[in-house]
Amino acid sequence: MAEPELDLEGLFARQRAYVRERSRPGLAERRADLQKLMRAIEERADTLLEALAADLGKCAIEAYTSEVGFVLRDIRHALSHLGGWMKPRGARTPLITRPGRASCRPEPLGVVLIIGPWNYPLQLLVSPLTGAIAAGNAVCLKPSEFAPHVAAAVRELCADVFPADQVTVVEGGRDVSAGLTALPFDHIFFTGSTATGRAVARAAAENLTPVTLELGGKSPCVVTEDAPIATTAKRIVWGKILNAGQTCVAPDHVWVAAGAERELLEALKVAARQLVPNRPPDPEPGDYGRIVNEAHFDRLESLIDGATVFDGGERDRATLRFAPAIVTEASLEHPLMREEIFGPILPVLPYRSLDDVLGRIADGPSPLAAYVFTENRDVARDFGDRVRAGGICINDTVTHLMPADLPFGGVGASGHGRYRGRAGFDAMSNLKAVLHRGFVPDLPLRYPPFKTGIGMIKRSYRWLAR
């Protein structure tokens, strides 16, 4: 039996009416909404963990730390700081506007659309939702159809916590996403691929809707000869195997100083075998997740076909398990080096000139993250200065996402806009500028007909505009 067609315009109209009729929520109301959301997630933690296991094979510890616990941390952080975020932010008034008071006042945008991906289907819906609720908006959530168990759990959770017109969850495929992005939302927050991000931006432009795009890219990792190899290898492998490599900020490939290549390869092999001991045909998955579906599995398999596999890569299409694969001798023209891998395949390439590698990275599309392992502070500083990326992490991978108030986002092809913590609140707010003046004095030189020459105006502006 065919699913009934969704009345997306009707859903949007009801949310728009809800915003118009609802008085602007104050601090107490917003805190109450966040507390209700937090309690609901805490009470349903086991259900959410089961849904994450069903959709992505995530073990309970990984699912809690990267999804359930992660969003609870974001909500608690918002509750602790919301009062400060909501306060008007004073701005200095120049002499020409005195006596006067200037401030920037955060106010709700209205109705916000959040489109989530399948790889972190809870975190990447609820983290931006936290910012949207903190900012006082109504929200339409569109979870990924490729994580149906989490989508259903989020729908039920939101239905129990919020009025339907305050937070609504719309499920469906690409046609539903396309229908939603064609509507005049006050903001669209999208996490996903660069290609789909372009389509979202084009649709939003028709309504001049501002967007936050959290995309991806080939996040490089550079290892210098002085890096402690065993620790470096373990941290790289850990970042690569999170969610079976299906992480937007996972280290995509590694550049290693030629003199340390062999030692790093052996250390990567040891680390991968230690962290993922259970591999096909072993039927027990252990703590390592699986690939989301057959199409993604087949894409990864086509990427690795014909590549030189130094270690790993055992896989089983029936269970969608794909062990970490360390690849060598990948040319820059190989698909592994041209496409975002988004899976547990790690190409390792030697370099002879660090300057050449940094230049190559700087000349390519800007990634969402970039990593360097070195004990040389000058090298670390140079890397941070020269590499244009959404985020930089030195001597680790992925953990730059952990500070709750460190803004997260991309640049160029990896997206634009920032969120989490205060940045998420600001992204979902209209930061309205307000100037309040008295009636006296009222300087006559501002009004025509002008009785002074431009020379005097230039001289006066040196102090009037201070």
Side-chain angles (χ1 to χ4, degrees):
M1 184 176 177
E3 291 288 330
E5 187 173 343
L6 287 169
D7 179 14
L8 300 179
E9 291 188 1
L11 289 172
F12 176 73
R14 288 193 292 275
Q15 287 201 283
R16 183 72 90 190
Y18 173 84
V19 168
R20 281 198 307 269
E21 294 163 8
R22 180 194 192 194
S23 59
R24 182 179 302 173
L27 174 61
E29 188 174 351
R30 297 185 202 188
R31 284 181 55 84
D33 285 341
L34 290 171
Q35 287 167 342
K36 287 189 295 183
L37 178 62
M38 181 177 67
R39 285 194 296 269
I41 293 172
E42 289 172 335
E43 292 166 359
R44 293 166 170 80
D46 289 344
T47 299
L48 293 168
L49 294 176
E50 290 168 4
L52 289 161
D55 286 333
L56 288 152
K58 294 191 182 191
C59 72
I61 291 176
E62 181 179 311
Y64 191 87
T65 56
S66 67
E67 303 252 21
V68 177
F70 194 102
V71 299
L72 287 172
R73 185 280 313 265
D74 276 359
I75 297 169
R76 293 188 186 105
H77 182 78
L79 284 167
S80 297
H81 297 278
L82 183 56
W85 295 346
M86 289 179 63
K87 288 180 180 178
R89 304 167 196 180
R92 188 174 178 275
T93 54
L95 286 171
I96 200 168
T97 63
R98 296 179 190 173
R101 299 185 306 276
S103 64
C104 178
R105 303 180 184 180
E107 65 179 15
L109 286 170
V111 186
V112 172
L113 170 63
I114 298 173
I115 303 176
W118 53 261
N119 59 326
Y120 288 87
L122 181 70
Q123 180 206 133
L124 297 177
L125 271 182
V126 177
S127 188
L129 172 65
T130 299
I133 291 173
N137 298 292
V139 185
C140 178
L141 289 175
K142 166 59 179 70
S144 172
E145 67 273 25
F146 297 123
H149 295 87
V150 174
V154 169
R155 183 191 67 239
E156 293 169 6
L157 184 152
C158 289
D160 288 346
V161 172
F162 300 105
D165 295 334
Q166 181 184 1
V167 178
T168 189
V169 178
V170 179
E171 295 178 80
R174 291 185 178 182
D175 56 335
V176 172
S177 294
L180 287 169
T181 56
L183 297 172
F185 283 93
D186 297 294
H187 192 93
I188 295 177
F189 188 104
F190 170 80
T191 304
S193 70
T194 299
T196 307
R198 289 192 181 98
V200 169
R202 283 194 295 269
E206 291 296 317
N207 295 306
L208 297 179
T209 299
V211 295
T212 299
L213 300 177
E214 300 298 338
L215 309 177
K218 294 183 70 63
S219 297
C221 181
V222 174
V223 180
T224 64
E225 205 157 9
D226 68 343
I229 294 299
T231 302
T232 294
K234 184 170 284 189
R235 291 181 180 183
I236 292 171
V237 170
W238 174 81
K240 190 65 172 179
I241 67 170
L242 278 175
N243 200 28
Q246 300 163 121
T247 300
C248 56
V249 292
D252 181 271
H253 55 284
V254 176
W255 290 97
V256 57
E261 179 188 12
R262 178 52 53 177
E263 185 182 1
L264 180 66
L265 285 169
E266 293 295 340
L268 289 169
K269 176 181 176 179
V270 169
R273 293 281 169 179
Q274 286 177 343
L275 300 182
V276 187
N278 297 16
R279 298 169 176 232
D282 186 341
E284 188 61 42
D287 296 330
Y288 183 61
R290 60 171 172 79
I291 306 305
V292 64
N293 55 36
E294 289 86 355
H296 193 45
F297 183 97
D298 293 343
R299 187 188 68 83
L300 291 170
E301 194 163 51
S302 70
L303 283 177
I304 204 174
D305 281 347
T308 302
V309 179
F310 175 78
D311 183 66
E314 302 91 343
R315 50 197 182 273
D316 178 10
R317 192 174 189 274
T319 59
L320 298 177
R321 293 176 61 207
F322 201 122
I326 302 166
V327 172
T328 59
E329 301 177 18
S331 72
L332 297 180
E333 289 70 40
H334 193 284
L336 281 170
M337 293 303 297
R338 296 176 65 85
E339 302 174 19
E340 182 180 6
I341 295 171
F342 216 68
I345 304 170
L346 183 66
V348 179
L349 303 92
Y351 71 83
R352 299 197 177 278
S353 167
L354 180 59
D355 191 64
D356 287 347
V357 170
L358 295 185
R360 187 185 300 278
I361 295 171
D363 290 342
S366 300
L368 191 56
Y371 305 107
V372 64
F373 286 82
T374 181
E375 290 193 314
N376 187 315
R377 292 186 178 183
D378 291 336
V379 169
R381 183 170 56 250
D382 193 39
F383 186 90
D385 289 344
R386 293 180 59 182
V387 174
R388 185 172 182 257
I392 300 287
C393 193
I394 299 166
N395 296 334
D396 206 347
T397 61
V398 182
T399 52
H400 62 295
L401 274 65
M402 294 307 297
D405 217 20
L406 190 62
F408 176 75
V411 60
S414 59
H416 60 254
R418 294 289 185 271
Y419 77 112
R420 296 214 168 107
R422 182 167 182 160
F425 173 87
D426 286 352
M428 304 293 186
S429 298
N430 173 35
L431 303 179
K432 184 165 64 179
V434 178
L435 176 68
H436 185 171
R437 289 202 64 203
F439 287 101
V440 291
D442 195 33
L443 296 177
L445 85 149
R446 66 183 277 188
Y447 301 109
F450 301 113
K451 298 179 176 60
T452 57
I454 188 66
M456 181 180 176
I457 294 296
K458 288 180 179 179
R459 289 190 297 273
S460 66
Y461 252 67
R462 293 177 182 176
W463 56 273
L464 283 175
R466 289 179 181 175

